[in-house]
Amino acid sequence: MTDQSPQIEGAPLIAPSTTDHPLYDQVVEACRTVYDPEIPVNIYDLGLVYTIEISDDNAVNVTMTLTAPGCPVAGEMPGWLGEAIEPLPGVKQVDVEITWDPPWGMDMMSDEARLELGFM
């Protein structure tokens, strides 16, 4: 017997966000203030923010990705996102984690982002 839990078939690759938390909408709006310097669309609408998890004591954990592993601002973007969320009233702490699984794809962009970038 192993300690690893098997991937449940049909389970989402991206964990669900805490959308019913009172701070959720404010955190999303804070995410929308952060831009990839090479793309004129915020990281939320680009689909780079995978999960926003907010605990009962208002600790915010964000799982995000980047458009590519070689992104020049890879080391800085999690800090930018943390700095955008942390000042929100009621937020206890912010942790931002980068993941490469699943890899980002253009299909993760919002319709607004596709329109802005001329893909629609």
Side-chain angles (χ1 to χ4, degrees):
M1 184 177 243
T2 64
D3 290 336
Q4 294 178 337
S5 56
Q7 175 69 33
I8 298 168
E9 193 169 328
L13 289 173
I14 298 172
S17 293
T18 318
T19 56
D20 58 349
H21 193 284
L23 284 174
Y24 179 78
D25 290 337
Q26 294 171 62
V27 171
V28 167
E29 286 309 309
C31 292
R32 284 192 164 123
T33 68
V34 179
Y35 284 75
D36 181 319
E38 298 178 336
I39 305 170
V41 174
N42 69 71
I43 64 169
Y44 188 85
D45 287 331
L46 274 177
L48 298 179
V49 176
Y50 283 173
T51 304
I52 298 170
E53 187 180 5
I54 309 170
S55 69
D56 290 340
D57 66 350
N58 295 348
V60 179
N61 292 304
V62 179
T63 303
M64 68 172 294
T65 194
L66 300 169
T67 54
C71 177
V73 294
E76 298 172 57
M77 198 167 304
W80 296 345
L81 189 55
E83 288 170 8
I85 297 169
E86 208 159 28
L88 294 174
V91 169
K92 179 183 175 187
Q93 71 178 57
V94 181
D95 289 309
V96 180
E97 178 185 336
I98 295 232
T99 185
W100 302 107
D101 187 31
W104 178 83
M106 293 177 95
D107 58 327
M108 295 175 169
M109 287 192 283
S110 70
D111 287 344
E112 292 84 1
R114 290 172 206 245
L115 192 61
E116 179 75 27
L117 296 173
F119 294 120
M120 286 180 73

